[in-house]
Amino acid sequence: MKKDSDHAVILKWINSIEKGQIRSLSRAITLLESTRIEDQNQARNLLEGALERLNKTDRIPTTRIGISGPPGVGKSSYIESLGMHLLSLGFRVCVLAVDPSSRVSGGSILGDKIRMERLSTQANAFIRPSPSQQILGGVTHTTQSIMSLCELAGYSAILIETVGIGQNEGAVADMVDCFILLNQPGSGDELQGIKRGVLEFADVLLVNKMDGATKYLAQQTLQSLQSTSQLINHSLKNYQVPIIGVSSVEETGISESWQAVAKFLEQAKSIGYFKHKRQLQQEQWFKKLSEFYWLQHLHTAKHSRHLKNTLLKEMQLGKKSILEAAQEFTRTLLNNR
Ligand code: GDP
C-alpha cells in the first residue's frame, strides 16, 4: 500500500517538474543533494522516473555548456550576459553553479543569485547554486542528475559554472557538450606553465574584461593566447579553438562567443563527435554513480563498523599493516554484498 502511495507521489512530482514548476524542481534538487539515506532512496526513485520520462518523450535538444576560470575572472558576470543573450534567442536557461569554497561552510554559495541579478528575475531562467559535497570543484554524480532534472523541466541551455583551480576542469569538460574557459587579462605569460594542460580541455577560449582600464592588458593576453593557439591539441580533428575577447560588463563579444560555441557544436555534430561526447558523459556518470554506491555500501553495510573496529585494533596491535587492513576491509564487504 505504502509503495503505491510513494509511487503516486513521485509520479505527481515528476509531472509538475515536467510542467516547469520551479518549486518542484528546486525541491527535487534539494532531495538529490541530501546525504540522508532515507532521502537517497526517494531521490533514486525520483531520478529513475525522471530519466524514464526523458527517454520516452521527444524533447527539444539541450545544450550543456561548462564555464570555468579562476576566481574573479568574471564567470558570473559572463554567465549573466550570456544567459540574457540566450534568452533573447529563445532558449530557456538554467545555471548550475558549483563552488568548492562551499566545502568550508557546507552550504551553497549565496553570492551567485545576488550577482546574477538580472538573469535571476527572468521567467525563463533558473539559477541554482549547489554545495560541492566535499569533492574538489564540486562536480559529482549529483551534478549530472540535476542536469537531467533541469532538462525534464524544459531548460534547453544548461550552463555549469565551476571555479577553475587547475584540477577540476577535466571533470566539468567530461559532462558537457562544450567547455568555455575564461581567462584573466594578464594571464598570458603563464601559458607555457600549468595552464597548458587546462587549455586542452577548452573548446572555446575567452579573455574577459576587454574594456576600460583592463582593455590594453586584455588585448595583450588575447594576442599571447592566439600566438600559442596552434599548440593546443583539440580532440576534434581540424578544429581550431577560437579565442575571443569579451566584456561581460559592457556586453561586447557575447554574441560572438555564442556563435563560436554554436559553430563548434555544429562541426562536432556533423562528424559524430557530439554523439561520442554524450556517450562519454554517460560513461562518466555511470563511473561516478558506481563509486558513490560503492562508498555508500562501505559505510552502511551490516558489518561495516564492527569489521572496521576489529581491523583497526589488529593494526594497533601490529598484527596487520594498514594496507592489509584496508584491503581486507573492502574485500570482505565486497564479498558480503
Ligand atoms: P567570478 O568570481 O569569476 O564569478 O567573477 P565575477 O563575475 O564575480 O566578477 C569578479 C569581478 O570582476 C567583479 O568585480 C566584476 O564586476 C568584475 N568583472 C566581471 N566581468 C568584467 C568585465 O567584463 N569587465 C570589467 N571591467 N570587470 C568585470
Side-chain angles (χ1 to χ4, degrees), residues 70-77 115 161 208-209 211 214 246-249:
V73 67
K75 290 177 296 298
S76 300
S77 313
R115 277 188 285 164
E161 175 192 353
N208 193 29
K209 307 191 183 179
D211 58 61
T214 46
V246 297
S247 164
S248 306
V249 169

Side-chain angles (χ1 to χ4, degrees), residues 22-91:
I22 298 281
R23 277 190 60 189
S24 303
L25 176 63
S26 295
R27 271 183 49 228
I29 294 175
T30 305
L31 181 72
L32 285 186
E33 287 173 343
S34 169
T35 48
R36 292 172 53 202
I37 296 291
E38 316 84 85
D39 285 345
Q40 279 169 18
N41 289 337
Q42 200 185 19
R44 193 152 68 193
N45 291 337
L46 182 80
L47 186 63
E48 200 89 73
L51 291 177
E52 205 176 299
R53 188 73 60 87
L54 268 173
N55 290 336
K56 246 191 222 159
T57 42
D58 262 347
R59 318 196 68 83
I60 42 158
T62 57
T63 306
R64 304 168 181 171
I65 309 288
I67 296 157
S68 194
V73 67
K75 290 177 296 298
S76 300
S77 313
Y78 173 71
I79 289 172
E80 167 142 276
S81 298
L82 178 69
M84 294 302 289
H85 179 64
L86 291 176
L87 288 177
S88 77
L89 296 178
F91 282 91

